[in-house]
Amino acid sequence: MKRSQILFSTLLFFLLIGGCGYSQKKPELALDKDGVKVYLTKFDTTAFKEYRAVMTVNANIDTIVKQLVDVKNLKKWNYKTRKSELLKKTSDTSWIFYMTHHLGWPIQDRDHVSKVTLTTNENERIITILPENRLLKEKPGYVRLTNFKGFWYLKKVSNTQTLVVQQIYGNPGGNIPAFMVNMVITKGPFDTFKELRKRVENLNKK
């Protein structure tokens, strides 16, 4: 196995088992609908769950990557995202994103600053997402998300088909009870995946 493949496999392994850094239990299937599966993981020392969403789409792997790092258009398909913009490009494979999320009354809107990094292997891509709050002060009217981590994992099935995985843990901050978040946690990734699939499959036809 090539050195780059070993490093890529090692990165993926630590992402998959790393969770939010707490002792965790085995992921359980919570939703299986319209070709999208969402698994939830409980942790021993936090009430908030982590989700892992999985689907296979009829689109080229690089078509999907372009959508995932096209920050200006994330708001068009990412669940509850009201604003998405680039704060800084740190390299050809690393960016700082700023996003806001409108959750609806009476919950206060959230925002976050994320460092997004793309790692590439021959038939796989990993996009990691970590908080990066040094570039932007907190804004009035928003609760800043600071405790989160996640990634996208893409694997080429064929030239026109790709396995898509998204895994995210996040504490929404503020005073939202964990049980309320956990009750609706599958809706966000499910809606996001449906919109992403529609978008990339339409692009793949052009």
Side-chain angles (χ1 to χ4, degrees):
M1 183 180 292
K2 295 180 181 179
R3 178 178 174 81
S4 60
Q5 292 176 316
I6 294 173
L7 292 173
F8 193 93
S9 299
T10 302
L11 172 60
L12 178 60
F13 173 76
F14 281 110
L15 287 171
L16 287 171
I17 69 168
C20 63
Y22 302 112
S23 176
Q24 64 187 68
K25 300 178 181 178
K26 184 179 178 180
E28 295 183 356
L29 182 63
L31 182 147
D32 186 352
K33 183 179 179 182
D34 297 341
V36 178
K37 293 183 179 181
V38 181
Y39 299 84
L40 299 181
T41 301
K42 295 180 180 180
F43 299 93
D44 292 337
T45 52
T46 176
F48 296 101
K49 297 178 181 179
E50 178 182 74
Y51 74 76
R52 182 186 302 171
V54 182
M55 69 175 175
T56 299
V57 296
N58 296 317
N60 178 274
I61 189 170
D62 291 319
T63 297
I64 302 170
V65 170
K66 288 178 182 178
Q67 296 305 305
L68 298 183
V69 299
D70 180 11
V71 64
K72 292 182 179 179
N73 289 305
L74 290 178
K75 60 190 176 185
K76 295 181 179 180
W77 56 268
N78 197 59
Y79 182 70
K80 294 291 186 180
T81 299
R82 180 63 60 87
K83 177 189 289 187
S84 53
E85 60 185 38
L86 179 67
L87 290 184
K88 184 178 180 180
K89 180 179 179 180
T90 56
S91 74
D92 288 340
T93 58
S94 183
W95 308 266
I96 308 296
F97 291 179
Y98 174 69
M99 300 173 67
T100 68
H101 306 280
H102 178 67
L103 303 181
W105 187 89
I107 301 174
Q108 192 172 0
D109 288 356
R110 264 59 179 169
D111 71 351
H112 66 89
V113 183
S114 303
K115 182 177 182 179
V116 178
T117 304
L118 171 64
T119 305
T120 300
N121 197 10
E122 183 177 1
N123 293 314
E124 298 168 295
R125 312 285 186 270
I126 293 176
I127 298 172
T128 56
I129 306 164
L130 294 170
E132 177 58 86
N133 288 294
R134 293 174 295 177
L135 290 182
L136 191 67
K137 294 181 179 179
E138 293 187 17
K139 296 185 176 184
Y142 293 95
V143 173
R144 174 64 54 87
L145 303 178
T146 60
N147 185 5
F148 64 88
K149 66 182 297 185
F151 66 89
W152 291 89
Y153 168 71
L154 308 177
K155 183 178 178 64
K156 178 180 177 180
V157 178
S158 70
N159 288 334
T160 57
Q161 198 170 54
T162 305
L163 172 69
V164 181
V165 179
Q166 185 196 43
Q167 182 168 304
I168 298 285
Y169 166 81
N171 184 325
N175 57 1
I176 305 177
F179 79 89
M180 291 183 61
V181 175
N182 293 333
M183 283 174 59
V184 297
I185 192 172
T186 60
K187 181 171 176 56
F190 177 69
D191 286 1
T192 292
F193 269 45
K194 285 201 305 179
E195 290 302 312
L196 175 62
R197 180 172 59 197
K198 184 190 307 181
R199 188 175 183 86
V200 297
E201 289 187 349
N202 284 338
L203 286 171
N204 209 56
K205 294 175 183 177
K206 294 180 180 180

